[in-house]
Amino acid sequence: AQSVTQLGSHVSVSEGALVLLRCNYSSSVPPYLFWYVQYPNQGLQLLLKYTSAATLVKGINGFEAEFKKSETSFHLTKPSAHMSDAAEYFCAVSDPYGGSQGNLIFGKGTKLSVKP
Amino acid sequence: ETGVTQTPRHLVMGMTNKKSLKCEQHLGHNAMYWYKQSAKKPLELMFVYSLEERVENNSVPSRFSPECPNSSHLFLHLHTLQPEDSALYLCASSQGSYGAANTEAFFGQGTRLTVV
């Protein structure tokens, strides 16, 4: 069965510092992977997705993520944090061949705080 | 109006009440989803409709009853809920059939439900 683990339920960085949010997946086949962001009192918005093309994926708002099969990881990074990046971030996996195709499995989320 | 719209945004209901959540998507998608987001728990997929037919029901209690009258509208009918059902209920839609695992979901802003 697929699963997603996000290390750290809460990450705090200073404005201008590197953002690194960790995501590890468990899947028997190379999955599709997604990062979503949720601002307070809002729904989820797609940041980026990996669907077996380039392993380094660039998304919106300056975020990017790298798919590393050997590490079963899909960590989200941004070189320089901005106050507006404060939100909750969710990693999700989808199994291309499983019985629940299109069924996104979400991690528990990581809340990012940005200090001035 | 564009995207995925959910109404109401907030709902307080007693345990004996009957209410409905509404979701409408203006994206031309043909798969729609209900998710439950509780504090400190991963997003839980509740129901999936593809081409207006229910394709997945993840062991959701019968006090939650979905309805999908057409590809643009999705309802969640609620009755005799419990306090532990208090959560943010998110609707989402995606392009293509339910089997398109590489297509991302577009989320509404959610309905914050409080059961008293």
Side-chain angles (χ1 to χ4, degrees), chain B residues 32-78:
Chain B
M32 296 187 76
Y33 312 79
W34 280 116
Y35 284 87
K36 177 183 179 182
Q37 186 177 31
S38 306
K40 301 186 180 184
K41 291 179 71 175
L43 273 160
E44 302 171 65
L45 179 65
M46 300 176 71
F47 299 104
V48 181
Y49 277 82
S50 180
L51 300 173
E52 300 159 42
E53 289 190 18
R54 189 191 305 182
V55 296
E56 189 147 340
N57 172 359
N58 286 339
S59 302
V60 178
S62 60
R63 57 186 183 269
F64 295 91
S65 175
E67 178 189 2
C68 187
N70 55 62
S71 61
S72 299
H73 293 87
L74 185 65
F75 294 89
L76 187 63
H77 303 300
L78 316 170

Side-chain angles (χ1 to χ4, degrees), chain A residues 11-116:
Chain A
V11 171
S12 182
V13 301
S14 298
E15 192 173 19
L18 171 72
V19 176
L20 171 60
L21 304 181
R22 299 178 186 274
C23 173
N24 288 88
Y25 67 89
S26 172
S27 176
S28 57
V29 297
Y32 297 136
L33 292 156
F34 306 79
W35 273 102
Y36 285 83
V37 60
Q38 185 178 30
Y39 298 102
N41 300 313
Q42 299 290 319
L44 277 68
Q45 179 185 3
L46 182 72
L47 276 177
L48 48 81
K49 66 178 181 179
Y50 167 76
T51 56
S52 72
T55 56
L56 182 61
V57 181
K58 294 187 183 299
I60 62 171
N61 301 339
F63 284 93
E64 61 182 38
E66 186 172 7
F67 173 69
K68 291 187 176 180
K69 184 179 177 182
S70 60
E71 299 178 7
T72 60
S73 69
F74 190 57
H75 302 331
L76 181 71
T77 61
K78 182 173 180 177
S80 177
H82 192 272
M83 296 297 290
S84 61
D85 295 325
E88 191 158 17
Y89 292 80
F90 294 89
C91 183
V93 62
S94 177
D95 184 350
Y97 307 110
S100 297
Q101 291 180 11
N103 181 352
L104 289 173
I105 306 299
F106 284 89
K108 291 186 177 182
T110 298
K111 191 163 288 187
L112 176 67
S113 299
V114 182
K115 298 174 290 188

